[in-house]
Amino acid sequence: MFCYQCQETAGGKGCAVSGVCGKKPEVAAMQDLLIYVTKGLSVVTTALRTEGKEISREVNHLVTMNLFVTITNANFDRTAIIETIKRTLDVKQELLMQLADKEALPEAALWNGDETEFDAKAASVGVLATENEDIRSLRELITYGLKGLAAYSKHANALLHDNEQIDAFLQDALAKTLDDSLTVDDLVALTLETGKYGVDGMALLDKANTEAYGNPELTNVDIGVRNNPGILVSGHDLRDLEMLLEQTAGTGVDVYTHSEMLPAHYYPAFKKYTHFAGNYGNAWWKQKEEFDKFNGPILMTTNCVVPPAESYKDRLWTTGATGVPGCRHIDGAYGEVKDFSKIIEQAKGCPAPTQIESGTIIGGFAHEQLFTLADKVVDAVKTGAIRKFVVMAGCDGRQKAREYYKEFAERLPKDVVILTAGCAKYKYNKLELGDIGGIPRILDAGQCNDSYSLVLIALKLKEIFGLDDINDLPLVFNIAWYEQKAVIVLLALLYLGVKNIHLGPTLPAFLSPNVANVLVENFGIAGIGTVEDDLHLLIGEA
Ligand code: FSO
Ligand code: SF4
């Protein structure tokens, strides 16, 4: 196997023996093959569009789901991935029959095989199949961005919002990662275009979420526990959470959020559920310890899943793109109501969660909520009460080096405000950082995809201050990344012209020295240094 798509990749270079995330070579192989056949399918759908034929939503959804399955920490179930490969090949064969011009199709578009051939094929189609390291780097950068875009699209699709342009781009770009005639410059341009669609994808999801559940608002979320049995919902899929809240109402079972599901509490529509108890635990990587103590069932709606300990394996359930061998999976197509009754039955027989924390955390500062505070914020900037904003969005992870982010937040001067989104916030969202004239010093917009809100806020401030360039704002970016959703957020920021982003705790292993140089020279991307140096560099602290 060879995988280097996430920040925790072995030795900062690549997982070649087994994944640091727990992905075994036999699963990695099937993920490589799934990507390959999905790229093949995308060549065919793109060619069909060129011939004026329409591609069905089901096919668009198959592509996004396949990419989502291969995101870090989403799916460890080889059998389920094999079934998905078979289905993708069947769909592709059908579509190939509709294609008039089959000349010049790449091998991926034509390849077909049965299960006995999958492992042999997988061995020749992984990341290292592209020999030129710059082309490989750009192809992977684009593919990872597309995985993130696919994940955000999938959540919008689950709320019955679709955007054919996004799907068409996604498939066209996947197809282009197979095209040997594209140069480094072509691929750099495609990388930025991927960022444009990243913005569109996040906008689509924002619209889907806010139309369904209202605009997030300032909310205090309880982090303690109640006395009833509970179900813990993790991941990013708000529609899954909604269905579970509906089905648990009146059953005596409470529902808690975990990690990236925390922002669900900020949406008005979920506040009516009196059994929606609070948030339990921290970022994804602490789940082994925390799931054990939760005592009740846990539903993983997306990544980040850590292969479970035996002690709670029978309480871990997956749905959507996620899968863990030996854990039960709940199916359900978009628009269908999933049946969570078995999880609820299990919960009824479980003890209440063990309390691990107490108190509340505050959040809900997505675009509309912040716009209502705009006057206050602008005044605070004008009077100098707020010196700077620092965007610290992104992911948390297990590496010690990430302590940097906690320390950076703690040591920020008192006139600096943190804008955050994603699970990165768990490094500092329980610190007492206080407020500036009633404006909390940590403004949490929501999930990683709600980085879109942070962009809207920045654009609004730019307008209010009458600036021509977003980079002239008193705003700096110190972002943490882990998996491929963070890649699409980064590409979206680059597309919007944001410069001098600091990205840590380490730069991606999949950036070749030349590609990294392009990012440094054109966008001023940099890694992180010591807390001391970066406070000086970013905030101007002596
Ligand atoms: Fe975190 Fe995992 Fe949201 Fe990621 S839970 S690491 S960037 O999936 O998607 O922030
Ligand atoms: Fe390694 Fe990350 Fe790939 Fe897992 S997802 S195999 S940890 S690079």
Side-chain angles (χ1 to χ4, degrees):
M1 70 177 282
F2 183 80
C3 180
Y4 62 175
Q5 66 174 351
C6 82
Q7 188 275 325
E8 293 189 0
T9 196
K13 291 204 158 54
C15 295
V17 180
S18 193
V20 172
C21 60
K23 184 163 84 177
K24 299 274 180 265
E26 55 276 19
V27 175
M30 289 307 102
Q31 290 193 1
D32 286 349
L33 188 60
L34 180 57
I35 288 293
Y36 179 74
V37 299
T38 304
K39 288 184 173 180
L41 169 64
S42 296
V43 171
V44 177
T45 57
T46 302
L48 281 168
R49 282 191 179 92
T50 312
E51 291 183 2
K53 308 218 171 63
E54 272 186 28
I55 302 301
S56 69
R57 279 192 177 174
E58 288 66 35
V59 173
N60 289 340
H61 293 170
L62 178 64
V63 171
T64 48
M65 187 57 109
N66 287 0
L67 292 190
F68 203 164
V69 160
T70 69
I71 281 184
T72 301
N73 285 339
N75 203 309
F76 299 93
D77 189 343
R78 176 177 156 102
T79 313
I81 301 170
I82 288 174
E83 288 313 307
T84 313
I85 295 168
K86 288 188 198 161
R87 182 151 170 257
T88 305
L89 287 171
D90 288 347
V91 170
K92 189 188 71 186
Q93 285 311 113
E94 252 174 58
L95 291 176
L96 265 177
M97 286 194 289
Q98 296 171 28
L99 189 64
D101 182 5
K102 298 190 189 57
E103 293 281 307
L105 288 179
E107 203 246 347
L110 299 169
W111 185 79
N112 202 353
D114 65 33
E115 198 180 322
T116 57
E117 298 162 74
F118 284 4
D119 278 300
K121 186 67 190 170
S124 66
V125 299
V127 170
L128 300 177
T130 303
E131 279 168 20
N132 178 302
E133 75 164 349
D134 297 327
I135 298 282
R136 182 199 306 147
S137 174
L138 287 161
R139 284 180 174 177
E140 294 309 312
L141 173 59
I142 292 162
T143 303
Y144 303 152
L146 295 173
K147 288 186 185 194
L149 174 58
Y152 294 156
S153 298
K154 188 260 154 190
H155 294 307
N157 300 158
L159 291 165
L160 307 182
H161 285 244
D162 279 82
N163 179 327
E164 163 65 19
Q165 277 100 34
I166 294 178
D167 287 302
F169 168 77
L170 204 149
Q171 291 158 34
D172 182 39
L174 279 177
K176 284 180 173 151
T177 64
L178 297 171
D179 186 344
D180 291 329
S181 73
L182 297 186
T183 63
V184 163
D185 286 348
D186 295 334
L187 291 171
V188 169
L190 185 59
T191 306
L192 282 191
E193 203 184 353
T194 304
K196 177 205 176 297
Y197 282 93
V199 177
D200 294 352
M202 286 191 273
L204 178 72
L205 179 53
D206 183 77
K207 187 167 186 292
N209 283 340
T210 53
E211 279 185 15
Y213 308 122
N215 276 301
E217 54 195 20
L218 195 156
T219 307
N220 283 297
V221 181
D222 197 343
I223 56 172
V225 299
R226 299 182 186 172
N227 296 326
N228 305 316
I231 299 173
L232 190 57
V233 188
S234 190
H236 305 68
D237 199 299
L238 296 180
R239 175 67 189 133
D240 285 333
L241 173 71
E242 181 187 17
M243 290 185 274
L244 188 73
L245 283 167
E246 280 293 320
Q247 292 172 38
T248 42
T251 61
V253 172
D254 290 332
V255 173
Y256 294 80
T257 54
H258 170 256
S259 194
E260 273 285 73
M261 200 54 91
L262 157 69
H265 292 278
Y266 311 155
Y267 288 89
F270 296 126
K271 293 188 172 157
K272 66 172 181 271
Y273 298 102
T274 52
H275 64 296
F276 193 25
N279 190 69
Y280 191 85
N282 291 276
W284 65 272
W285 61 278
K286 286 193 172 164
Q287 68 188 247
K288 272 201 161 160
E289 198 185 304
E290 295 176 346
F291 287 180
D292 212 20
K293 297 200 170 92
F294 184 73
N295 302 330
I298 303 115
L299 174 64
M300 300 299 309
T301 66
T302 69
N303 59 324
C304 285
V305 191
V306 174
E310 284 304 319
S311 59
Y312 64 86
K313 194 170 179 181
D314 72 318
R315 291 192 275 115
L316 191 75
W317 300 70
T318 61
T319 189
T322 58
V324 177
C327 293
R328 286 164 285 184
H329 185 86
I330 308 282
D331 277 323
Y334 304 145
E336 256 175 41
V337 175
K338 293 183 182 177
D339 179 3
F340 292 126
S341 56
K342 290 203 177 91
I343 307 184
I344 299 168
E345 269 325 296
Q346 185 184 47
K348 285 179 181 164
C350 293
T354 305
Q355 174 135 326
I356 52 176
E357 289 172 301
S358 62
T360 58
I361 40 183
I362 188 172
F365 297 96
H367 47 87
E368 293 311 302
Q369 176 66 78
L370 260 186
F371 291 168
T372 66
L373 292 177
D375 289 347
K376 237 179 168 179
V377 170
V378 170
D379 279 351
V381 173
K382 283 187 177 154
T383 60
I386 294 180
R387 179 184 353 170
K388 235 171 209 173
F389 297 92
V390 50
V391 174
M392 293 180 72
C395 321
D396 198 6
R398 48 198 143 198
Q399 288 184 348
K400 268 265 166 291
R402 287 183 190 263
E403 282 303 304
Y404 162 95
Y405 293 102
K406 180 172 180 236
E407 206 187 321
F408 187 85
E410 266 170 339
R411 290 179 52 185
L412 277 172
K414 301 264 174 287
D415 53 3
V416 175
V417 172
I418 297 173
L419 300 174
T420 191
C423 63
K425 61 175 147 286
Y426 284 97
K427 275 281 185 281
Y428 42 78
N429 68 347
K430 291 163 189 170
L431 301 175
E432 296 289 337
L433 295 190
D435 63 280
I436 299 173
I439 303 164
R441 285 192 52 226
I442 302 180
L443 299 173
D444 176 21
Q447 297 178 336
C448 45
N449 45 287
D450 295 309
S451 299
Y452 175 70
S453 264
L454 302 181
V455 165
L456 291 191
I457 292 160
L459 292 174
K460 182 84 174 174
L461 289 175
K462 181 183 116 179
E463 180 194 313
I464 295 175
F465 288 112
L467 301 170
D468 297 328
D469 188 340
I470 203 170
N471 297 298
D472 294 336
L473 282 168
L475 175 72
V476 290
F477 287 79
N478 194 3
I479 287 181
W481 81 286
Y482 171 52
E483 42 86 6
Q484 299 78 53
K485 292 177 191 177
V487 176
I488 194 63
V489 172
L490 176 71
L491 296 184
L493 292 174
L494 297 185
Y495 165 74
L496 291 167
V498 176
K499 298 269 190 315
N500 304 324
I501 296 173
H502 287 250
L503 184 66
T506 53
L507 291 180
F510 55 80
L511 296 180
S512 67
N514 287 333
V515 172
N517 257 342
V518 170
L519 296 180
V520 171
E521 277 165 20
N522 296 317
F523 300 98
I525 289 216
I528 58 170
T530 64
V531 171
E532 197 97 22
D533 288 351
D534 288 355
L535 282 171
H536 178 65
L537 196 67
L538 288 163
I539 313 295
E541 276 298 270

